[in-house]
Amino acid sequence: MQPGAHGLLATEPQQGQESCPGTPQRLRRPRGLPVTKQFSLSTSRVPALPAAAGAGREAPRSGPWAPPGPRSRSRSRPRSRPAPPAVPAAPPPTHGRGGAGRGGARFRSAPPPPPPPAAAAAAPLLAGAGAAHVGAGAGRPGPGHHPVSRIMRPDDANVAGNVHGGTVLKMIEEAGAIISTRHCNSGTGEPCVAALARVERTDFLSPMCIGEVANVSAEITYTSKRSVEVQVNVMSENILTGAKKVTNKATLWYVPLSLKNVNKVVEVPPIQYARKEQEDEGRKRYEEQKLDRLETKQRNGDVIMPVINPDRQTKEPHTVGYSQSSLIHLVGPSDCTLLGFVHGGVTMKLMDEVAGIVAARHCKTNIVTASVDAINFHEKIKKGSVITISGRMTFTSNKSMEIEVFVDADPFVDEPQERYRAVSAFFTYVSLSKEGKPLPVPQLLTETEDEKRRFEEGKGRYLQTKAKRQAQMQQAAQH
């Protein structure tokens, strides 16, 4: 090994040693000669062909170097040595890059790998993706399974660092909307967008904090002729320690609305069930939610007068009027779907904010969302509408409080009409100390007959939920 011009080194393979294919060699060149990159296609089965691939090209008129062959790394021969005869090109390898090389040889490339999940996730929302399957039998994320991950930022949490329940609900709805819209467009019907119709009771099993990663996975578990049931699980991950825990489990119902006519509900492609029992259980859940929606519509006659800046000094603490709160929001384009109607997740986030304000005013402590009873979306909210979200305390136990939240819409921009009830739900909150331990909740003071009636109804819902939870714990202990 000797230094050459400009510090380049010329290396020669030792006797009995083959040059390593794919590793470039540094060659010595005379002063003033342009640098040329040379490669080799030689393998253990195909001998090196110094100038075979360069046949047909004119040799240089001066200089001691032969013309570089395509991808040839073998050392060039001086001009004084006679050029070797043209050798027929060896069969190209079946591996490597496709297309024509510099010498005209074309490689047969292997079949392209499947696109990465990120590319599939970036596909248009309305792209057809095939029929959905229940369970993990498909072997790949498809229309029947959709994961979403996001790190929790400071603007997602309260002053204590706990992530808002509304932030989690919005992520849950986004995952459900994506998977249901993909499935509804997997058939041969007209293009549509899935709209949220109902959210079943959702329990917040564990709090989520700033800096943790929320992993949301959604799966279609049942389809009727015109609705889709989506099961969503949320798991938080501490990226410093790797610890994971389940924070939420939710069930959502969507209906597909046509892109051509927003008032038309299109048919849903059926899914394939692993067992007949899964279809029967899904049909039972479908009938139960239909009955509950009818009962909820009967309570929509209740009216909560918006309270923007009440005189709380004249009201006694721990009463309904003292903590009652309202929020007015103008629906903008960023709040809406492709059809121009508000995302269900946006509405739920605003509802959680109002319910949190009511709970904080009642307790004067740090509060977190414990659960959300079924949320029913009665009417669509159009872009440009002004919505009023109002919340009031209905019931308190020793360690929890129930807040009823209504959403009323005024669509006065394009099609003026009377205010209507769009959404209603019950939120349950708990009071926490600075150390994150539960605190006693001040008892609600009822003053009117309506407040006493709502208190007793809330107590019935509380006892029913408590009994159901105890039954589930006993069943889990037996298994």
Side-chain angles (χ1 to χ4, degrees), residues 212-233:
E212 294 183 340
V213 175
N215 300 301
V216 186
S217 61
E219 183 179 7
I220 296 177
T221 52
Y222 178 76
T223 57
S224 66
K225 186 176 181 180
R226 301 187 186 276
S227 63
V228 180
E229 182 192 49
V230 181
Q231 299 280 351
V232 182
N233 293 330

Side-chain angles (χ1 to χ4, degrees), residues 281-328:
E281 293 172 357
R283 187 179 297 108
K284 181 179 179 180
R285 295 191 299 268
Y286 171 73
E287 297 296 337
E288 290 177 352
Q289 65 91 20
K290 283 182 61 177
L291 293 176
D292 189 77
R293 285 177 60 84
L294 293 176
E295 295 177 0
T296 306
K297 286 185 177 181
Q298 298 177 0
R299 298 197 302 264
N300 282 346
D302 293 348
V303 177
I304 303 179
M305 297 303 296
V307 180
I308 306 303
N309 190 19
D311 185 8
R312 304 189 189 280
Q313 295 180 354
T314 62
K315 299 182 181 296
E316 186 177 355
H318 306 150
T319 59
V320 176
Y322 182 84
S323 60
Q324 181 174 327
S325 304
S326 299
L327 172 66
I328 296 179

Side-chain angles (χ1 to χ4, degrees), residues 454-468:
R454 289 194 293 267
F455 186 92
E456 293 299 326
E457 292 175 353
K459 184 178 180 179
R461 288 187 293 269
Y462 168 77
L463 295 176
Q464 183 179 3
T465 302
K466 186 176 180 180
K468 185 182 299 184

Side-chain angles (χ1 to χ4, degrees), residues 15-78:
Q15 184 176 2
Q17 179 182 3
E18 294 183 0
S19 59
C20 178
T23 305
Q25 299 180 10
R26 308 184 66 179
L27 304 176
R28 182 172 56 196
R29 62 181 175 84
R31 186 184 303 272
L33 186 67
V35 179
T36 59
K37 295 184 179 179
Q38 300 186 356
F39 303 91
S40 174
L41 291 177
S42 61
T43 64
S44 59
R45 294 178 298 174
V46 183
L49 306 177
R57 288 193 289 182
E58 184 180 356
R61 299 178 181 178
S62 62
W65 303 95
R71 308 179 66 87
S72 174
R73 285 198 353 257
S74 58
R75 188 174 181 180
S76 302
R77 305 179 184 273

Side-chain angles (χ1 to χ4, degrees), residues 125-289:
L125 192 64
L126 298 181
H133 293 265
V134 176
R140 59 179 176 84
H145 186 273
H146 182 81
V148 176
S149 297
R150 186 167 75 83
I151 191 169
M152 296 292 100
R153 302 183 299 267
D155 57 343
D156 296 323
N158 58 15
V159 294
N162 301 120
V163 175
H164 289 295
T167 301
V168 180
L169 291 173
K170 185 177 180 181
M171 294 179 59
I172 290 174
E173 195 277 332
E174 289 175 352
I178 292 174
I179 188 175
S180 54
T181 300
R182 281 178 174 169
H183 173 70
C184 293
N185 287 275
S186 62
T188 58
E190 55 185 298
C192 59
V193 173
L196 182 63
R198 175 181 169 87
V199 180
E200 301 291 355
R201 176 181 174 86
T202 304
D203 292 317
F204 290 77
L205 308 176
S206 179
M208 195 180 304
C209 302
I210 297 174
E212 294 183 340
V213 175
N215 300 301
V216 186
S217 61
E219 183 179 7
I220 296 177
T221 52
Y222 178 76
T223 57
S224 66
K225 186 176 181 180
R226 301 187 186 276
S227 63
V228 180
E229 182 192 49
V230 181
Q231 299 280 351
V232 182
N233 293 330
V234 182
M235 178 176 293
S236 65
E237 176 186 0
N238 189 322
I239 56 178
L240 300 179
T241 63
K244 297 181 181 180
K245 57 184 177 182
V246 178
T247 60
N248 295 82
K249 293 183 178 180
T251 302
L252 303 90
W253 292 89
Y254 289 84
V255 292
L257 303 180
S258 171
L259 287 177
K260 300 178 181 179
N261 182 7
V262 297
N263 295 319
K264 178 183 178 181
V265 180
V266 302
E267 293 190 8
V268 178
I271 64 174
Q272 299 176 4
Y273 300 93
R275 302 187 313 273
K276 184 64 168 61
E277 293 76 9
Q278 291 180 340
E279 183 177 5
D280 296 338
E281 293 172 357
R283 187 179 297 108
K284 181 179 179 180
R285 295 191 299 268
Y286 171 73
E287 297 296 337
E288 290 177 352
Q289 65 91 20

